[in-house]
Amino acid sequence: MTKTEEFQELRPLLFSIAYRILGSVSEAEDAVQETWLRYQATSTRPGSAKAFLSSVVTRISIDVLRSARVRREEYVGPWLPEPLLTDPYEDPARSAELADSLSMAALLLLERLTPLERAVFVLREVFAFGFADIASAVGRSEAACHQLAVRARRHMEAGRVRFKADRKEREELAERFFDAFREGDVDGLAGLLAADVHMIGDSGGKAPQFKPVVLGAENVLRALATFAPLVISSGGLVEPCQVNGQPGSVFRDRNGQVLSTWALDVLDGQIQTIRTVNNPDKLGHVGPVADAWEALREAHRAHRPTD
């Protein structure tokens, strides 16, 4: 097998590692590309291409994360990971871990870890790497990696909410939610929201949104009731799909260009959290991005009552 063939076979795994460490599709793709350039430049073939490439992409991702954290401290409003509609890496033996680690909630918990803790947790808990390979990847001893893994696991378990609904139940509830949204059915929406539901929007100051954070069923319902008629009257499209392994939707303007993505957390048969990514800088990989400000103006014009 040639170097190119080896790399292409492992590319899905490398991207999935980098994305979970970075929470960014664009940065993960750049890390994978840089990994290929370094692999191409090596004069010798490693004994294990998987171990070598995973180590390289991990080290690159750690360096990128350290610099990215400085930028995120200056970010306007709430920061959410870039939405991922499809994870290119599949492993039936670890499907539960892969799905759990991809959710917005899990990625936000990972943000609380140090870059080293985050990398060790991803390699160990998500992808089941041995500690020898992890130590090589992060440049620490195996004993140190054991300690990092324990600390990371403790932090993650402390903050994790267990979403007990199975996939079919989550998808059915999400379908009812988006159907009610499209129909402007306020009562239908109200029956699906948890009393303490949160609606969190990431616009980066570059797109319109109701509020960065909306708390409580009454306030979230008011926001949805305001937004739904604008989408409907302007010919906007609500396209249900998986967003980071959770039920969600891509919102598009009447021309099919992307306005935002929504991801839903479901707990005890109700929607607990709605996370919307509206920042156009985070949506380019989903498809052509709409001018959200112009779409909003068109929506207001379309919704304005006629004399």
Side-chain angles (χ1 to χ4, degrees):
M1 186 180 291
T2 67
K3 272 189 172 183
T4 301
E5 290 170 337
E6 283 180 331
F7 182 81
Q8 289 303 329
E9 183 176 280
L10 290 164
R11 178 187 281 272
L13 170 64
L14 302 178
F15 173 84
S16 293
I17 291 171
Y19 177 76
R20 284 164 173 81
I21 293 174
L22 293 166
S24 165
V25 172
S26 55
E27 290 173 345
E29 289 174 342
D30 288 346
V32 171
Q33 182 61 25
E34 178 62 24
T35 300
W36 163 243
L37 294 176
R38 295 189 189 183
Y39 189 42
Q40 200 176 33
T42 57
S43 57
T44 58
R45 297 287 287 272
S48 168
K50 177 182 176 182
F52 176 83
L53 292 169
S54 298
S55 291
V56 173
V57 81
T58 297
R59 288 194 293 269
I60 292 170
S61 298
I62 289 171
D63 289 341
V64 173
L65 181 60
R66 284 171 173 152
S67 61
R69 287 195 160 193
V70 176
R71 296 194 302 274
R72 289 174 192 176
E73 288 174 0
E74 301 171 351
Y75 196 79
V76 177
W79 180 92
L80 294 176
E82 289 185 9
L84 186 65
L85 304 190
T86 305
D87 187 0
Y89 179 72
E90 295 181 359
D91 180 355
R94 300 193 63 79
S95 58
E97 292 87 346
L98 289 170
D100 185 55
S101 67
L102 194 63
S103 71
M104 288 274 185
L107 291 172
L108 289 169
L109 279 178
L110 283 171
E111 283 290 305
R112 302 179 185 181
L113 307 182
T114 68
L116 280 178
E117 287 173 343
R118 184 165 182 162
V120 169
F121 183 88
V122 167
L123 292 176
R124 182 63 183 172
E125 300 297 325
V126 181
F127 296 100
F129 276 70
F131 279 107
D133 288 334
I134 296 172
S136 174
V138 303
R140 296 292 189 274
S141 68
E142 288 189 47
C145 289
H146 274 282
Q147 292 177 342
L148 287 165
V150 169
R151 286 205 303 268
R153 195 181 305 117
R154 187 184 304 125
H155 286 308
M156 293 294 288
E157 290 297 329
R160 179 172 288 153
V161 174
R162 298 293 182 183
F163 298 105
K164 296 180 181 179
D166 65 26
R167 180 175 294 276
K168 183 178 179 181
E169 290 174 349
R170 295 199 308 265
E171 290 177 351
E172 288 177 350
L173 189 144
E175 182 179 2
R176 288 161 54 201
F177 174 82
F178 288 115
D179 283 347
F181 182 91
R182 279 189 292 253
E183 295 165 7
D185 179 2
V186 176
D187 291 337
L189 290 170
L192 300 174
L193 302 177
D196 58 350
V197 62
H198 289 44
M199 186 171 183
I200 303 167
D202 175 346
S203 71
K206 298 182 178 183
Q209 64 181 31
F210 189 79
K211 278 184 179 180
V213 180
V214 183
L215 305 177
E218 183 178 342
N219 293 325
V220 170
L221 186 62
R222 186 180 301 114
L224 294 173
T226 300
F227 183 53
L230 296 176
V231 173
I232 297 163
S233 63
S234 64
L237 305 173
V238 183
E239 182 182 287
C241 63
Q242 292 287 305
V243 179
N244 287 78
Q246 300 294 314
S249 186
V250 176
F251 280 68
R252 301 180 185 272
D253 68 6
R254 63 183 180 182
N255 299 313
Q257 294 185 315
V258 179
L259 288 164
S260 68
T261 63
W262 290 28
L264 310 180
D265 284 348
V266 177
L267 179 65
D268 296 331
Q270 294 182 306
I271 294 169
Q272 188 69 39
T273 311
I274 304 169
R275 294 186 178 90
T276 73
V277 177
N278 315 305
N279 185 342
D281 295 344
K282 295 186 173 185
L283 298 171
H285 61 283
V286 179
V289 180
D291 181 338
W293 294 104
E294 178 56 30
L296 181 62
R297 287 190 288 270
E298 288 183 2
H300 279 297
R301 287 195 291 268
H303 189 61
R304 186 181 300 137
T306 57
D307 295 333

